[in-house]
Amino acid sequence: MVEQGLIRAAQSGDRDALITLLREIEHQVYRTAYYILNDEQDAMDASQEALIRIYTKIGSYEEKAQFKTWVQRIVTNICIDKFRRTKPTVSIDEHELVFQDKQNVEQSVMSSYLAQDIQEAIDQLPDHHRTVIVLRYLQDFSYNEIADCLNLPLNTVKSYLFRARQQLQNMLQEHQKGGVSG
């Protein structure tokens, strides 16, 4: 949680406070961008663009909304714009599994496949559903915070989350019927 005093100092032109503020939020900004875009380079580009926008627009932040909601709205909009400009591609990364306890090898492999299956299912969701899933379950935003961040009515957020969960459940059930991936 960012201190209000730091935000106010940054807004009043304190350059050191602004840099400190940006350093405090950069990991969260990157994390959101990565989960939405699912590509390291795109996430780095989007988070950098978001931090620059926050840097230049800090004076326009009003305390009507929480600071984290304002920041997430910026990064989410940048990611959505990036999706509109480029068609997303699915990348297949090589993952090296490291096992510390040989007795849990099977469980580790299954957990790895499950996490991969869930990420692939999330990637297949429409942009608006993927975004609410990321904000709710990976960033721990409340329904109200998501509504504020995306500038949507609360009932729309609830509807998107409901539909996204249904889609994920269906995709994962279909995948399970076909067996474990890999």
Side-chain angles (χ1 to χ4, degrees), residues 53-65:
R53 192 165 300 163
I54 292 164
Y55 179 87
T56 59
K57 302 283 186 183
I58 190 70
S60 68
Y61 167 68
E62 298 174 2
E63 293 184 27
K64 295 176 188 172

Side-chain angles (χ1 to χ4, degrees), residues 51-101:
L51 291 170
I52 290 169
R53 192 165 300 163
I54 292 164
Y55 179 87
T56 59
K57 302 283 186 183
I58 190 70
S60 68
Y61 167 68
E62 298 174 2
E63 293 184 27
K64 295 176 188 172
Q66 290 184 19
F67 183 72
K68 77 174 188 174
T69 304
W70 183 75
V71 167
Q72 290 301 319
R73 178 181 293 173
I74 290 171
V75 71
T76 301
N77 287 340
I78 288 170
C79 291
I80 290 169
D81 289 345
K82 198 168 208 34
F83 264 121
R84 288 181 184 142
R85 287 190 304 261
T86 60
K87 186 177 179 182
T89 58
V90 177
S91 65
I92 301 173
D93 298 327
E94 291 184 39
H95 296 285
E96 186 176 313
L97 297 175
V98 178
F99 303 109
Q100 295 176 354
D101 183 357

Side-chain angles (χ1 to χ4, degrees), residues 83-172:
F83 264 121
R84 288 181 184 142
R85 287 190 304 261
T86 60
K87 186 177 179 182
T89 58
V90 177
S91 65
I92 301 173
D93 298 327
E94 291 184 39
H95 296 285
E96 186 176 313
L97 297 175
V98 178
F99 303 109
Q100 295 176 354
D101 183 357
K102 292 179 183 178
Q103 296 173 346
N104 290 326
V105 171
E106 185 177 342
Q107 183 179 5
S108 296
V109 169
M110 294 307 289
S111 293
S112 174
Y113 282 138
L114 179 59
Q116 184 178 352
D117 293 345
I118 292 170
Q119 183 61 53
E120 288 173 4
I122 290 172
D123 292 344
Q124 292 175 29
L125 291 173
D127 294 346
H128 56 285
H129 288 169
R130 181 181 323 108
T131 302
V132 295
I133 287 290
V134 166
L135 292 175
R136 178 70 181 131
Y137 296 106
L138 301 176
Q139 295 291 359
D140 294 324
F141 271 45
S142 70
Y143 289 15
N144 287 328
E145 289 171 330
I146 295 168
D148 288 344
C149 179
L150 299 177
N151 202 24
L152 293 172
L154 182 60
N155 285 335
T156 302
V157 169
K158 290 177 181 179
S159 174
Y160 283 0
L161 280 167
F162 177 79
R163 290 186 183 128
R165 284 190 300 259
Q166 279 185 320
Q167 289 175 320
L168 285 173
Q169 184 177 15
N170 290 339
M171 283 187 264
L172 292 170

